[in-house]
Every structure is written in C-alpha cells, then in structure tokens.
Amino acid sequence: MTAPVKTLCPYCGVGCGLEILPVAASASNGSTEKGIEKWKVRGDRSHPSSQGMVCVKGATVAEPLGCDRLLHPMMRDSLDEPFRAASWDEAIDRIVAHIQTVRLTSGADALCMYGSGQFQTEDYYVAQKLMKGCLGTNNFDANSRLCMSSAVAGYVQSLGSDGPPCCYEDLELTDCAFIIGANMAECHPIAFNRLRRHHKQNAHVKMIVVDPRATPTADVADLHLAIHPGSDIDLLNGIGHLLLKWGAIDSPFIDECTSGFADYAKVLEHYPPQRVAHLCGIQPEDVEAAARYWRDAQQILSLWSMGINQSSEGTAKVRSIINLHLMTGSIGRPGSGPFSLTGQPNAMGGREAGGLSNLLPGYRSVKNSQHRAEVEQFWHLPSGQISAHAGRSAWEMITGLEAGLVDFLWIAATNPAVSMPDLERTKKALRRSPLTVYQDAYYPSETAAYAHILLPATQWSEKAGTMTNSERMVTYCPAFRSPMGEAKGDWEIFAEVGRRLGFAEQFQFSNSADVRSEFIQLTRDRPCDQSALSHAYLQENGPTQWPCSEAGQPTQRLYTDRHFLTPDGRARFGAYHSKGLAEPPDAEYPYVLTTGRLYGHWHTQARTGRIEKIRQMHPNPFVEIHPRDAQKLGIEDKGLVEIRSRRGAACCPAVVTRAIAPGTVFLPMHWGALWAEQAEVNALTHPIACPDSLEPELKACAVQLAPIHTASTDFCKTSQLIPAIRDVVHD
Ligand SMILES: Nc1nc2c(c(=O)[nH]1)N[C@H]1C(S)=C(S)[C@@H](COP(=O)(O)OP(=O)(O)OC[C@H]3O[C@@H](n4cnc5c(=O)[nH]c(N)nc54)[C@H](O)[C@@H]3O)O[C@H]1N2
Ligand SMILES: Nc1nc2c(c(=O)[nH]1)N[C@H]1C(S)=C(S)[C@@H](COP(=O)(O)OP(=O)(O)OC[C@H]3O[C@@H](n4cnc5c(=O)[nH]c(N)nc54)[C@H](O)[C@@H]3O)O[C@H]1N2
Ligand code: SF4
Ligand SMILES: [Mo]
C-alpha cells in the first residue's frame, strides 16, 4: 500500500494536517490520467495543530480539483471580445512588453499586483522580489488587506511586532475564552473543537462570545453579548473600567513591562457599566458578568477575527483587546494572551514574506531605511531601489484605476470582482484598466470577466511549498498531482516575467526549495526567524513553529520573558474612544447590514461551489432578519427581499430568525455573480477603512429592506453557473 501524502488543508488559517491517499481506480500511479482521479482525504493524527481532526471543507477538498480548470493561457484585446487561446510565450511577451512601456511612460508606480493569503510563502516571496525589488514599486497588496491587516497593525503598535503570541495548546489550558468578533464554530472549526472539548470537560472553564448574532459559537457559550455592530471598543473599555475599579490588575507587570497606562486609565473612567450597556445595547449585568469572568480567570485567552478587524477602527479594536491583557498581565503565559485567528491558510506566511504594500520580507517595513538597505543588498540591487513609500493598498488600486494612475494590474489567487467592497464601483474601475492579468486555477470566475490575459495557475496539490498557520506553525505541502493542462506555479510565472524583464540573476531558482532557502535567510534574527525551516528540515521534522533559528528550538509562545519588541522593550497601551460605525443607520437606511461566512462554503466558492455536498448544505444566499423587523416590513420567512444601500442592491430570500438582533441584518459573502443573480453582498458595502491598517469596514453598512412580490421564478435564481460565461470555458 502506498504511504499517504502528508500535507496541509488549503482552506482556513487553523491549518489542519491532512493525509491524502489515491483511491483504487487511479491508485496505480495516483495520477491525473485522463482527468479521472479520486483521492481519499483524512486528518493527519501526527499534525500538532489538528491532531487528526478535519471539518467538511478539509474532508471534501480533493473533489473539485479537476473541475472547471483554466488549462492554458487566454488573451483578448478588449474586455468586450471573447478570449482566444494563447501560448505561454505570447502571454508573457505581452506582459513584459506592457510592463516595459509603463515603466518608460508612466513609471513603475503605475504597475500593481494584487495577491492572496492563498499563495504559498514561495509565491509571495518571489512576487515581492519582482515588484518591490526589481521593479521598484511597493504596489503589491494582498486580500489580507481585507482580512488580517488590522491585527498586524495592532500587534505592531502594541507589542512592537506582528506575530500572534499564542498557540493552540492555549485553547486547552485556558480558564476563560473571550471570543470577540469570531464565529469559530463555522470559520475555525477544528480550533473550536479543541476549545470546546476543554470547555465541556472542565466546569470551571468559561466561554464568552461577543457577536451581534447568535451564531453556533455563541450557542455553546456561558455568556453571549449580542452587542450593536461596531460597539466593541465601548465594551472592552467597560470591562477595563471594572477590572481597574476592582483592583483586578497586575500592577507589577504594568509598571515593569508596559507604557501608557495612565492615559488608558483616564479613558476607562468614562465607561461605567450603565453607559457601556446603553452604548452596546446589552444589560449592565452582562458587562459585569464579562468583567467577572476576566477577573476570576487565572488564564484568559482572547480570540478574534473579522468582527474586529474589518472595521474603520479595526486597529483601535485590536489594541483595545490587547490592553486588557496588558492590564491583567495575561500574555506570554500558557493559556493566556491575545490570539488573532488568521483567515486564510497562508496569510501568516504572506506577512512573513512582506506581502502587504507597507512591508518587506522578514517582518520589515518599507518605511525603515535600514530594512530597505538590508533587502536591497541581499537581492543584489542598487541602493535606493526599494521605494520608501507604502504602495497602494487593495482599495487604493481601485481608486488608482479610477484616477487613471494604474496602467497595469496583475491579480492572482483572489477574486476581487466578488470580495472587494462597493462592487459596482470596483467593477467600473476594473473596466478602466489598460491591461489586467488574472492568474487563477479555475474558470469561469467573476474576475475573469475583467481580464485581458488569463494565466492558468497550479493550485494546492499540484505545487510544492510552505504555509504558516495561526499558531506560527510552518507546514511543507508537497505536490502530489500533476499540473493540469499548461498550468504553472505562481512563483514560477513571476520568476519567468522577472527574467524576461532582464533580472536573470535575481530569478535563478530551479525549484521552490531554492526559493524558500533564499527567503528564510531574510528572516534570520528577525521576529519571525525561520532560518532553520528549509523544505528539507520540514520534510524531516514535520510542521514546526517559528521563531526557529538554525541554532535554536521551535518556539511555542512569544513574550514569555515579558520583553516586547518596541524600542524600550515595553508593550504599549492604546487609549481609544470609539468613533462608531463609518456609516451609521439613519432614517433613510435604517438597518445595519453585517456580513460573514457559513460553515461549508469558502469565500467566493471557486472550490466549494463545485462540491455537491456543500451546495446542498447551503443551497442559496439569504438575509437574516429579526421577526420584529420582518413583521414591520411585511417580510415573510423565505419571501424575497431587496436589500439596498447607498451604493447598490441585492436580493435574496429572508430567513426570519431571532438569532439576529433587531435593527441588524446579515448576509453571507459567498454568492458572487457566478453563483446567484443579484445576491452580491459587496454590492452594498462601503470602502471606508481604518486609517492605520487600511482595512475596509466590510462588517457594517446602512441598508433599507423591502419585500419583493414577483411571480417570476427567474429572479434570484441561485447556485447556477451563468451560461453566458460558461460558454467560453475551454475551447
Ligand atoms: N467556513 C469558512 N471558514 C472560513 C472562511 C470561509 O470562507 N468559510 N474564510 C476564512 C477567512 S479568510 C477568514 S478571514 C475567517 C473569518 O472568520 P470569522 O471572522 O469568524 O467569520 P465572519 O463570519 O466573517 O465574521 C465573524 C463574526 O463577526 C460578527 N460581527 C459582525 N460585526 C461585528 C461587530 O461589530 N462586533 C463583533 N464583536 N462581531 C461582529 C459576525 O456576526 C460574524 O458572526 O474565516 C476563515 N474560515
Ligand atoms: N462583505 C464581505 N466581503 C469580504 C469579507 C467579508 O467578511 N465580508 N471577507 C474578506 C476576506 S477576510 C477575505 S480573505 C476575502 C476573500 O476573498 P477572495 O480572495 O476573493 O476569495 P476566494 O474565493 O478565496 O478567491 C481565491 C481565488 O484563488 C484561486 N486559487 C486558489 N489557489 C490558488 C493558487 O495556488 N494560485 C492561484 N493563482 N489561484 C489560486 C481560487 O480559484 C479563487 O478564485 O474576502 C473579503 N471580502
Ligand atoms: S478547520 Fe480549516 S484547516 Fe481545518 S479542515 Fe477545516 S477548513 Fe481545513
Ligand atoms: Mo480572510
């Protein structure tokens, strides 16, 4: 019997280990012969993060690998023409010629690349070298800008560096899990399983969930605080107020290891429970109960995700969570600490490789002259080659297109025609791009409609590389299937363009192990030191947590010595009052729309929409609305509803439920134009972003609702590929 292939689940940031086995029919060579292939997927018991568990997404991940794949490059001159097949040479020649022209005419800052936390670290690294190094523009951003950038900014400002300090073992060592703005049961299910088991088995262990919706996570909590969307800072300050009043603080830690407490304490004066309860729309007793749990826990672990990060004050929210840990000294200890749950499988690796427009590899900053010099030297580039300015963020690429300042856009491993805010504006801007390259594994997709050149990418299973999960665990993911059609790895495509642009020396890699060996040298003596973690090391030793230098041991937790990475070694309190929602409800748009995910689907459904079991699990989009609001508006359960914001409209059936607070409605993010008609949640959202992290407030905007009375069965047709797009699938 063949030994199973050990790899990582390519969906969420929990980063579960998988074992993959070919199933009988194709077992002879485990290959993709004639496109027929079957793989059995099971949890890898030896993977320290997941200990053999998988959720429905991991278990079904092999099913769509061969469906609807983009098999060879395609091109067209304008967006109104159909695509025609092209050779790699033709496609790359056109890209290289265009880049050269833009460099000569508009300059390098008219070039943009928009990548993804679904890249492997090797892909990210080569993209940074190409854009920020060789081309000299920092206009590389990733969908992590819509996801983790507030956590990054919060960690940097409070602790002196990015990097979640905790590990999953803390889920089993804590006395209290404070889950805020995360629906772990659906979005990080295996991490949640570990926590839930511990919670069930130990009566003293408490779970608090802060979420405007009664999610499956909230269902099993000891305390659910269904706060008004956007009122998190008020609640966090309210908890801080009581801890201070009760003297439940760690004064020696505050004195020796932090700065800024006095200003923070002053802010806290304004947050007595009565006021907080009013601001958050909950009872004062509940604020007190939450603070009591904080006070009584020896070890307390905060877990957060998009309900915190995707906000016009996301960085302040993250820092307000960290404040409570600094105040109680609950950081750098088993079972305690602020723990951001990373969304995508390798958004962490992206940060390590410098994959945001303000970063450079090895947790370096483009604004730091020493950091730039180190990277320039290492890349054998002239001094001053790397720009000292942050490049365009994801949304700034859209506004750049609007202003005619972006002449070339290269999109890879993300589907912005569904996932960006304010879609009508996004799509209009995308249509203005002089040349857009879209590099993806599947076709059709919504973003392909806005591309001039489609490049077929290999995906997980067809390429070897590394990914880092939320607990800083790096796992090697081998290639165990042959690439389909002419697809190539993302980093290989970037490297080929780099060589043809004249940077032969910089892109000599012969395989992804070479790429990783080079990248890890740039992490030496940096906070994310993984200089020991080559492909060979990871293959031999299995998944390993950084920091892990050549001389050192893997590190489970950060800051155990209570020394932080700020210049004075002290963690910083941040004192904030909430500014509230960027677009609060008003008479015309009286409801707050919030958005999020469902257990089975992954984002824009590129894979999960092609899995029958998951389609049946979540057959159509819907809007959750409270019975009281539904009655007022004449909306019936399962009846069609139009949801309208200042920017656009969507339509879908109603789910009338008490799981959502009155005044708030919820729409899942999964249905783009390919999978449903007019159910795009981002037709409604706005792009107003946190000034520090530039992360847009995808979790809240003001909407109005109305029932739709129609006899047409066509309207709101769901879960069907649109034939017009499907017709042009492969020739
Ligand atoms: N099944 C599944 N799992 C996934 C993904 C997926 O697509 N599908 N995607 C992955 C990715 S990339 C990410 S980023 C993560 C996201 O993981 P999560 O952040 O857990 O998921 P979301 O559903 O986006 O949002 C979480 C919760 O935030 C709540 N919320 C909204 N507004 C507020 C607010 O103002 N305050 C508070 N406290 N809560 C609020 C919402 O009601 C929602 O229940 O999931 C990852 N895992
Ligand atoms: N309203 C609202 N909008 C949101 C959010 C929200 O909560 N609410 N969440 C935001 C967040 S947190 C995120 S992370 C984004 C996610 O949004 P997207 O990144 O747009 O979503 P995906 O569907 O994951 O798109 C990934 C694409 O990469 C392709 N792909 C997979 N593997 C590879 C590979 O190895 N190489 C290449 N080249 N392609 C590959 C897939 O086929 C797919 O088309 O959405 C954001 N948008
Ligand atoms: S929890 Fe996340 S990483 Fe684990 S199997 Fe499910 S989707 Fe994959
Ligand atoms: Mo995300």
Side-chain angles (χ1 to χ4, degrees), residues 165-211:
C166 307
C167 63
Y168 296 156
E169 197 188 68
D170 293 330
L171 297 165
E172 288 147 356
L173 294 172
T174 194
D175 301 318
C176 180
F178 179 69
I179 305 172
I180 179 162
N183 178 7
M184 288 182 75
E186 294 195 77
C187 296
H188 295 93
I190 301 306
F192 191 66
N193 278 2
R194 288 183 68 169
L195 173 65
R196 176 75 182 123
R197 201 168 48 193
H198 172 63
H199 178 235
K200 255 190 188 158
Q201 287 168 357
N202 296 283
H204 79 282
V205 174
K206 301 296 180 213
M207 193 192 288
I208 309 173
V209 170
V210 184
D211 193 312

Side-chain angles (χ1 to χ4, degrees), residues 53-73:
M53 295 179 275
V54 278
C55 78
V56 70
K57 292 181 294 303
T60 53
V61 64
E63 290 179 28
L65 296 178
C67 310
D68 289 346
R69 293 293 299 271
L70 179 62
L71 296 174
H72 46 71

Side-chain angles (χ1 to χ4, degrees), residues 77-88:
D77 293 329
S78 84
L79 299 187
D80 305 320
E81 294 172 12
F83 282 109
R84 59 186 164 77
S87 68
W88 271 107

Side-chain angles (χ1 to χ4, degrees), residues 402-450:
E402 286 175 340
L405 297 171
V406 172
D407 290 335
F408 174 69
L409 178 61
W410 192 341
I411 305 169
T414 179
N415 194 0
V418 184
S419 53
M420 280 278 196
D422 198 349
L423 269 187
E424 200 176 313
R425 199 171 149 192
T426 293
K427 290 175 180 177
K428 240 190 229 153
L430 288 173
R431 285 195 73 86
R432 292 196 54 176
S433 172
L435 187 74
T436 296
V437 177
Y438 187 47
Q439 182 167 309
D440 202 278
Y442 291 91
Y443 185 83
S445 69
E446 291 85 349
T447 301
Y450 300 88

